[in-house]
Amino acid sequence: AQSVTQLDSHVSVSEGTPVLLRCNYSSSYSPSLFWYVQHPNKGLQLLLKYTSAATLVKGINGFEAEFKKSETSFHLTKPSAHMSDAAEYFCVVSASWYSSASKIIFGSGTRLSIRP
Amino acid sequence: GAVVSQHPSWVICKSGTSVKIECRSLDFQATTMFWYRQFPKQSLMLMATSNEGSKATYEQGVEKDKFLINHASLTLSTLTVTSAHPEDSSFYICSAMERDRIGYTEAFFGQGTRLTVV
């Protein structure tokens, strides 16, 4: 079974300051982990993904995430927030590689607000 | 990257009628597709897993007779909301996992369908 917990429903930071969005997961199998972003009234866009290669994953728009197995975490970070980063962010878990039982499970989402 | 096309993007229907939503993988074969429902300001809730050539697997609490899923080919899955009621109004999103020779790589999502039942 897989599950994912996003620890903050809302994060607010000032423009130019670091962003940290927290995610913890649970999986019976080696997980694949993803971060997706959803802007208002828009579809989902993949930011980055971890699929058992390098534990530090770099994504688009300056975002990165580190897979920490000992902490079962996959937190999303960005050194300097931009106004265009304001959106809803979803941490997603899937059982890795060849698993016919794999599901794609979404976290509850974190709304990121950017203060001018 | 791979493309998943969902149609229609929005639909308004009368209470009691049925609505069909299509999800197509345009440039890859998707043996498994997923259907989600998203309420306003909430996360995506997995409704069911659609497997090509077999019956869909529904999540607990999802009425299979209400939400009919058909995955007749490797590139097409459909969700039919039968006898729709206003409480079925929601944003429905499909997803397909692309698979390489090793296993699953990435999930691709359709644009979503906003269903309004009046």
Side-chain angles (χ1 to χ4, degrees), chain A residues 36 46 97-98 103-104 107, chain B residues 36 43 59 99 104 106-107:
Chain A
Y36 284 85
L46 177 69
W97 296 133
Y98 215 87
K103 297 180 181 180
I104 308 171
Chain B
Y36 297 84
S43 185
E59 295 299 301
R99 203 185 264 188
Y104 289 117
E106 179 178 335

Side-chain angles (χ1 to χ4, degrees), chain A residues 17-90:
Chain A
T17 64
V19 174
L20 170 65
L21 305 183
R22 298 182 294 167
C23 172
N24 286 97
Y25 71 91
S26 171
S27 178
S28 302
Y29 304 92
S30 296
S32 288
L33 293 157
F34 310 81
W35 276 99
Y36 284 85
V37 60
Q38 187 179 35
H39 288 92
N41 299 313
K42 295 287 182 67
L44 292 156
Q45 181 182 22
L46 177 69
L47 283 178
L48 49 80
K49 61 182 178 181
Y50 165 78
T51 52
S52 78
T55 56
L56 182 62
V57 181
K58 294 186 183 298
I60 62 172
N61 300 335
F63 285 95
E64 62 180 42
E66 186 172 7
F67 173 71
K68 292 186 177 180
K69 186 175 181 179
S70 61
E71 300 176 9
T72 61
S73 69
F74 190 58
H75 301 333
L76 181 71
T77 60
K78 182 173 181 176
S80 176
H82 191 273
M83 294 300 293
S84 62
D85 295 328
E88 189 83 18
Y89 291 79
F90 295 100

